[in-house]
Amino acid sequence: MAASQSLKLPSLNNVEIPVHIIHTEENQIQEPAVDELDYSQRGQWLRAAVLGANDGLVSVASLMMGVSSVKEDVKAVIVVGFAGLVAGACSMAIGEFVSVCTQRDVEIAQMKREKRKGSSKSDENDEKLPNPVQAALASALAFAIGAVVPLLAAAFIRQHKVRMAAVVAVASVALVVFGVTGALLGGTPMVKSSARVLVGGWMAMGTTFGLTKLIGSDHGMQF
């Protein structure tokens, strides 16, 4: 909208000269609003995917390192790793399904209370409800993807020490990739996120390897 304002200026002959100043919206400089991604809206599926992949990788790699500490047979290592993949994927799916169902029930109960008070918008709230099936499938798939990485690294290597080194090396690279991916999708610092994921994975694999070797050696267990 343009607005006109009259300003009278004195002249040399004492004659007032009207000067019209036109204000327009174009004269006002406004900084365009910057649309920023709401990373909190990604929280549900991002948490399920990143945690699932990281858990699959660390769990199966740690299992394989533990078995490798007391047994050199590649078949035993692969079988244990595959069993860990299946069991872990099922566990992640069931756990995520139960967790999200509980969250959904709580939100539905809250919606009903707000509806009774007349302050609820049912259409908008229905769209925000979490999907337990989607979360469960995402967790299981992500776990399986992470678990396949150390299995593929060990499947084609016969030499025992080389196989263990390959599992640790490939798992370390994958942990860094998962950390960077999670940081990019979540808008968090990449170095900090990657370092946290990598160190945690090393601790899990080292602890499993050491304790399994200790128990197998002290008790003279035959595998």
Side-chain angles (χ1 to χ4, degrees):
M1 298 293 295
S4 177
Q5 182 178 359
S6 177
L7 178 62
K8 297 180 179 180
L9 297 179
S11 66
L12 295 178
N13 297 326
N14 294 327
V15 178
E16 293 182 348
I17 303 175
V19 178
H20 295 279
I21 301 176
I22 299 176
H23 299 284
T24 62
E25 293 180 354
E26 288 76 13
N27 296 114
Q28 300 177 357
I29 302 176
Q30 297 179 349
E31 302 235 350
V34 179
D35 293 334
E36 295 182 357
L37 290 174
D38 186 4
Y39 291 103
S40 62
Q41 295 180 355
R42 300 179 174 182
Q44 180 182 336
W45 68 268
L46 177 61
R47 177 178 62 87
V50 173
L51 288 181
N54 185 74
D55 286 350
L57 174 63
V58 174
S59 299
V60 173
S62 298
L63 278 173
M64 295 172 67
M65 292 299 296
V67 173
S68 297
S69 67
V70 295
K71 194 171 183 64
E72 298 184 0
D73 185 15
V74 63
K75 183 177 180 180
V77 175
I78 297 300
V79 169
V80 169
F82 181 77
L85 185 156
V86 176
C90 293
S91 177
M92 288 290 293
I94 294 172
E96 191 70 18
F97 182 83
V98 173
S99 176
V100 176
C101 280
T102 302
Q103 179 184 353
R104 184 185 178 92
D105 292 341
V106 171
E107 293 185 8
I108 290 176
Q110 179 63 28
M111 288 167 53
K112 290 180 179 179
R113 286 192 292 268
E114 293 177 354
K115 188 176 182 179
R116 286 195 295 268
K117 295 178 181 179
S119 60
S120 175
K121 297 180 180 179
S122 58
D123 294 337
E124 295 181 1
N125 291 333
D126 290 342
E127 295 178 357
K128 296 180 181 179
L129 287 175
N131 189 332
V133 176
Q134 182 181 7
L137 292 176
S139 294
L141 180 61
F143 187 97
I145 292 174
V148 164
V149 174
L151 281 171
L152 292 177
F156 306 102
I157 301 177
R158 295 293 178 182
Q159 191 173 353
H160 176 60
K161 293 183 178 180
V162 177
R163 183 170 62 249
M164 288 194 299
V167 170
V168 174
V170 172
S172 299
V173 174
L175 286 170
V176 173
V177 172
F178 290 156
V180 171
T181 302
L184 291 175
L185 294 177
T188 58
M190 286 189 296
V191 175
K192 182 178 180 180
S193 178
S194 301
R196 182 169 54 234
V197 173
L198 181 60
V199 172
W202 284 346
M203 291 176 63
M205 288 186 286
T207 301
T208 306
F209 179 87
L211 291 178
T212 306
K213 188 174 182 62
L214 179 64
I215 294 174
S217 299
D218 286 350
H219 297 279
M221 298 175 67
Q222 299 294 326
F223 293 92

